[in-house]
Each structure stands twice: as structure tokens, then as C-alpha cells.
Amino acid sequence: MVCAIGLIAETRHPNLTLMTLSAIDWAIVASYFLLSTGIGLAFTKRGGESLNEYFLSGRNVPWWLAGASMVATTFAADTPLVVTGLVAAHGVAGNWLWWNMVMSGMLTVFFFARLWRRANVMTDVEFAEIRYSGKPARFLRGFRALYLAIPINLIILGWVTRAMIKILTISLGVSPVLAVGICFVITVIYAVAAGLWAVLWTDLIQFVVKMAAVIILAVYSVKAVGGISMMKEKLGEHFGSGDAALSVLPVSFTSSGFHAYAWMPLLSLGVFLSVQWWAAWYPGAEPGGGGYIAQRIFSAKTERDGILATLFFQVAHYALRPWPWIVTGLATVILYPNLVDKESGYVHAFVDLLPTPWKGVMMAGFAAAYMSTVGTHLNWGASYLVNDFYKRFLKPNETEKHYVKVSRIATVCLFIASIGVTSQLSSIEQAWKFLLALGAGTGLVLILRWYWWRINAWSEISAMIASFVVSSVCFVIVPNHFAKGDPNADATIMLTTVIVSTIIWLSVTFITQPEPAEILDSFYKRVRPGGP
């Protein structure tokens, strides 16, 4: 972690006044930590009864709790900063770089949430052995379990930790090792002790705390620029027009037709709106569902609860939650027009504008944002390691108490490994883009496997391998042919990976044998996907 801290410390802004917290502010932060720890300890006995309780809360979670947990998990410490950077650079429409994923999310609501609940599995990779058969199915399950639990999961844990270090370094001037260490240790305590029960209930509390914090900051930010009318006027001057600043769509409409804004070339716009959302696998926005979203669906009381939880998540994630960040991001354009690091404007805003006790609420909110994401990823990663690798391949006949014990050890091991990954991450943005590119060719096969009988285990395996190889090559070669920061480079990587990967996995599908009829019949009766 020292390497990462050193790199981030270099980004400190010398003109940024450090935030001073009063005794009341510190009391609010301390109360939040005590509450989180207490919730974890309260559910320790229940969470330790079995793997079903530890990873799925006994499949007895109401929709509102599962949905709130989904939203809380995707609200990480880095999220408000990223949105601020997008808005400051491109206006409100800059959010289409991630808003495009809403279409994939709605597919999950109306098509896949009910299917995942009917599958009655503990993890989404366990799906491989109810849809496919033989050694390829076993290999796919074991490989995806290790792939998602270790490299993918640890990269995500690394970048949210790096973001939290950045926030603390440039706002408080405290030792980031100490501050992040406290958040991490408390999260590990309740995640290890009680599993998903603690993660869900702390997520709910954390969601309330961090939403209160960002709404309060948005109110103070608007007040600081002179109100909504003054904000609109000044934004129009900065961006050239009010539409360029405030338009929700990444295009402008004129008498001659529609035009993409300069920062979003038509190629990139086309890829984001018509390809990326269905073609790219990404944690929290998987085509066909999956990941920790699927885990929350598995934990729901009923099929209906799973659907409602996923719908609540999509509405809150895309339509409601971003607006306090967006409003603050727009205000930072006016308040700090000369910032080189646009994302840091969010930190400047809460340091400069918030009085006591709202400073304490904001710091508790950032701790909550960090801890909710970390708690989920530790529990989610451990579920793969234990259910889909250790129990499936190494020790299949042990007691439930034994598996829970191993799950707690796996959670601690993931925590330790994530520290090492954090120290090696030099860029959060590059890690995000690399993850998106890695899964760029797998989305279509993950959607069609529910409905097209011809897809087999080799289809998924070849799609994963092709995506990894093609995207890795493109990441090295393609940027050399574009100017730095040109979004067409990312669009080209995405398109190339999708096209080549799709050709490869379709070819493999027709070259290899389909799954046996009895496997397809069993899957159809179990999941009832509809169609012939």
C-alpha cells in the first residue's frame, strides 16, 4: 500500500485547506463505526449456522433490504469523485459513459431475475453445472470461481481502497494507512463474523448515511454558487451553452439533424448505446445478471422479492442516486474552474463548504461508501472460493460448520491480498477500462445461454479466453493510433474484442457437440425460461 500512498500524495493540492473536525464530528464518525460493528456481532450466531446463512442469509431477505444492499454496494468511495470528473469535463451527459448500462439492468429485471431465483444455486458460477455437463462444465465452474474471486475481485477492492486513500490524504492530512486500516478492519470484523446478514443490514445503514451526506453537500454547493438560476447562467458561460452543460442526452438536436458533442464522437456514442450494454461483462452490470446482484436475488424470500429488489436497484442506481453528485459536480465547475484534477473538486467542496456537524456526517458517509463495497466484495469473493472451488473440488463431504470456518478464513485472506493489489494500482481509471475490455466479448453468450439450446460449456470457455486475449492485445496496440484521451480508442478496443470474440465462440459452438438432451430438459424444467 505504501507505493499507492506515495503516488496519491503527489496529487495533493497545495491550495486546499485541510478539513478540521470538531469533537462532535469525530463523535458522529465513531458512532457510525460502533453501530456497524454492533450489527456484525448481533448476527454472528445466525450467520455461522451454515453456508446458506453465511452467503445467502437463508434465502429469507425482503426485497427492500436486498435492493438497498445492491444500491449501497455500487455506491463506493470513488463514485462521487468519478461522476464529478465526468460532469466537470462533459456536463450532465458525460454520465452516459456508465448510464448506458441501464439497458442491461432492465433486461435483468424483466427477463433474468426470475430465472436466477428459480435456478436455486448459491453463486452464479454454480449455474455452469446445471446448464452444462461433464468435464467442460466442471472446468468452467472452477475456473470462473477463481478468476472472479481473485484477480477481478481484488482489482475492484484495490481501486476503491485507492480512492479512499486519495480522499483522506487530500482532505484530512491524516495517515491514510491508519484511517483506511480502521475502515477495513471493522468491515472485515462484521463480514467475517456474520457473513451476508451483517453485510445486508450494514449496507442499509450505510446507504442512509451516505445519501444524507451527499444531499446535504449538494444543498450547500448550490447555495455557494448563488442558487440554481445563477448556476445555470454560469454553467452556460463555461460550456458555451446551457444545453451543453445540462442536457441529459449526449447529442444536440438542430434543424439539420442530431449531432454528438465533440467529446463524444459518433463511433463512441454508437458503441456505448448499441453495443457495450449487452456485449460487456462488468461487476454489477452483467448482461443476463450475475455477480453480487445475482447473490442478492438468490437471497430474496421469493421470486417476486428478487424481481422487486432488482427493479428498486435499477431505479435508484440510475435515476435517483446520481443527482446529488451531479449537482455538486456542476457547482465545482464554477467554484474551482482551474482544477487540473477535476475529480478532486468534490473533496474541495466538502472541505470548504460543510460546517459542523455535517463534516462528521460526510466523513462517516465516505467511510460507509467504502465499507459497503468492501464488505460485499469480501463476502462475494469468499462464496466463490468456498462453494465453487473448495467444497466442490477439494473437500466435498465436510460439515456446514467446517465450511463456514473456511469461509471466514477465505474472507480474511482476500482482505490481506487486496492490500497488495492496492499498492500496485497506479490508475483507477485504467483498471476500470481494463476490466470492461476483458469482459467485452462475453455478454452475448451470457444472455443467450438461458434461451438457446445449442450453446454449450465450450461456448463460454472460448468466449472468455478470446475476450482476454483480444482485449489484452488491443490494449497494447490500439491506443498508439489515437490521441491521448480520445474515446474512439476505447470504442475501437470494445468493438474489435466483441467482433472477434463473437466469431470465435460461435464457431466453437457449432464445431463442438451440444449438451445432452437430459441436461437441457432438466435445466428447462428447473428454470422455465420460456420458448421452445
Side-chain angles (χ1 to χ4, degrees):
M1 190 179 287
V2 175
C3 176
I5 293 167
L7 288 167
I8 294 169
E10 293 173 6
T11 67
R12 171 184 287 282
H13 301 272
N15 59 333
L16 175 61
T17 303
L18 294 176
M19 183 165 64
T20 303
L21 299 182
S22 68
I24 295 175
D25 295 319
W26 283 116
I28 291 172
V29 175
S31 298
Y32 161 72
F33 284 143
L34 288 173
L35 179 60
S36 297
T37 306
I39 290 173
L41 297 177
F43 283 98
T44 297
K45 184 177 184 299
R46 186 171 182 179
E49 291 176 358
S50 66
L51 279 188
N52 193 46
E53 290 288 344
Y54 194 80
F55 289 128
L56 296 181
S57 298
R59 302 185 192 268
N60 198 35
V61 179
W63 69 266
W64 51 269
L65 182 57
S69 179
M70 293 180 194
V71 184
T73 295
T74 54
F75 184 164
D78 62 315
T79 318
L81 278 68
V82 171
V83 171
T84 296
L86 291 174
V87 169
H90 309 304
V92 174
N95 287 284
W96 277 100
L97 293 171
W98 65 279
W99 272 345
N100 69 82
M101 294 291 191
V102 68
M103 293 174 278
S104 174
M106 297 313 291
L107 278 181
T108 301
V109 173
F110 293 109
F111 291 93
F112 301 113
R114 67 180 75 247
L115 303 184
W116 277 121
R117 190 64 179 77
R118 293 171 187 170
N120 197 34
V121 292
M122 184 167 289
T123 68
D124 58 321
V125 300
E126 187 179 339
F127 174 91
E129 288 198 288
I130 68 168
R131 174 61 176 82
Y132 312 123
S133 63
K135 292 181 179 179
R138 293 193 293 273
F139 170 79
L140 179 61
R141 179 179 179 181
F143 176 77
R144 276 189 68 84
L146 296 178
Y147 174 73
L148 295 176
I150 300 176
I152 300 299
N153 199 29
L154 293 180
I155 288 173
I156 297 170
L157 285 168
W159 88 45
V160 298
T161 300
R162 183 176 171 81
M164 191 64 179
I165 291 172
K166 178 177 181 179
I167 292 165
L168 294 172
T169 301
I170 66 179
S171 64
L172 290 179
V174 299
S175 166
V177 174
L178 175 63
V180 175
I182 291 172
C183 294
F184 221 152
V185 168
I186 292 175
T187 307
V188 170
I189 287 173
Y190 69 71
V192 168
L196 189 63
W197 274 119
V199 171
L200 290 172
W201 282 104
T202 52
D203 274 354
L204 180 64
I205 300 300
Q206 289 159 351
F207 178 60
V208 172
V209 171
K210 54 197 179 185
M211 283 307 300
V214 297
I215 290 172
I216 290 165
L217 179 58
V219 171
Y220 275 93
S221 298
V222 171
K223 183 179 178 181
V225 299
I228 290 291
S229 297
M230 183 62 69
M231 175 185 280
K232 291 170 67 177
E233 179 182 334
K234 292 182 177 179
L235 287 171
E237 296 172 1
H238 179 87
F239 285 96
S241 71
D243 286 343
L246 302 175
S247 173
V248 173
L249 297 175
V251 294
S252 58
F253 295 91
T254 66
S255 57
S256 60
F258 77 91
H259 306 277
Y261 289 129
W263 60 269
M264 177 68 85
L266 283 175
L267 174 62
S268 299
L269 178 62
V271 170
F272 285 132
L273 297 186
S274 62
V275 178
Q276 181 173 302
W277 62 270
W278 59 262
W281 180 94
Y282 183 75
E286 299 89 342
Y292 51 78
I293 301 301
Q295 184 191 37
R296 301 306 191 268
I297 296 171
F298 302 151
S299 71
K301 282 183 177 181
T302 63
E303 185 178 308
R304 178 176 179 273
D305 282 282
I307 295 170
L308 288 176
T310 313
L311 178 61
F312 174 80
F313 165 60
Q314 304 302 332
V315 173
H317 182 61
Y318 293 104
L320 300 178
R321 188 187 63 189
W323 288 102
W325 309 333
I326 292 171
V327 169
T328 301
L330 292 171
T332 64
V333 173
I334 301 167
L335 296 172
Y336 313 105
N338 299 318
L339 281 180
V340 176
D341 180 5
K342 302 297 185 184
E343 293 183 1
S344 69
Y346 200 89
V347 183
H348 280 266
F350 74 71
V351 169
D352 293 343
L353 303 179
L354 291 181
T356 296
W358 303 126
K359 290 181 180 179
V361 173
M362 177 56 71
M363 295 314 297
F366 268 112
Y370 174 70
M371 292 166 65
S372 63
T373 303
V374 169
T376 285
H377 279 274
L378 290 175
N379 183 266
W380 174 57
S383 72
Y384 290 141
L385 292 178
V386 177
N387 182 68
D388 299 299
F389 192 77
Y390 181 82
K391 180 181 179 182
R392 175 64 183 85
F393 297 106
L394 302 181
K395 295 283 186 178
N397 299 312
E398 297 292 341
T399 64
E400 287 295 313
K401 295 292 184 182
H402 173 82
Y403 291 130
V404 171
K405 180 181 178 180
V406 173
S407 300
R408 287 169 170 160
I409 294 172
T411 304
V412 173
C413 290
L414 285 173
F415 152 65
I416 294 170
S418 71
I419 296 175
V421 172
T422 301
S423 69
Q424 301 302 313
L425 280 183
S426 60
S427 171
I428 297 170
E429 180 184 6
Q430 286 302 111
W432 179 79
K433 288 181 178 179
F434 185 61
L435 268 189
L436 200 60
L438 280 182
T442 59
L444 189 58
V445 72
L446 296 180
I447 291 173
L448 293 179
R449 63 185 182 175
W450 294 93
Y451 301 106
W452 188 22
W453 67 275
R454 192 61 181 81
I455 286 178
N456 58 34
W458 290 113
S459 306
E460 277 200 50
I461 293 169
S462 60
M464 290 179 62
I465 295 172
S467 293
F468 178 83
V469 173
V470 175
S471 62
S472 298
V473 172
C474 287
F475 241 83
V476 175
I477 296 174
V478 171
N480 298 328
H481 299 280
F482 294 89
K484 185 177 182 181
D486 187 343
N488 280 327
D490 298 325
T492 301
I493 292 172
M494 177 70 66
L495 270 181
T496 303
T497 304
V498 169
I499 292 170
V500 175
S501 299
T502 301
I503 292 172
I504 290 173
W505 75 255
L506 278 173
S507 301
V508 169
T509 299
F510 287 109
I511 291 171
T512 54
Q513 293 295 315
E515 297 299 334
E518 60 269 22
I519 292 294
L520 296 173
D521 288 342
S522 172
F523 173 77
Y524 187 89
K525 292 174 182 176
R526 180 171 181 167
V527 176
R528 307 189 306 280

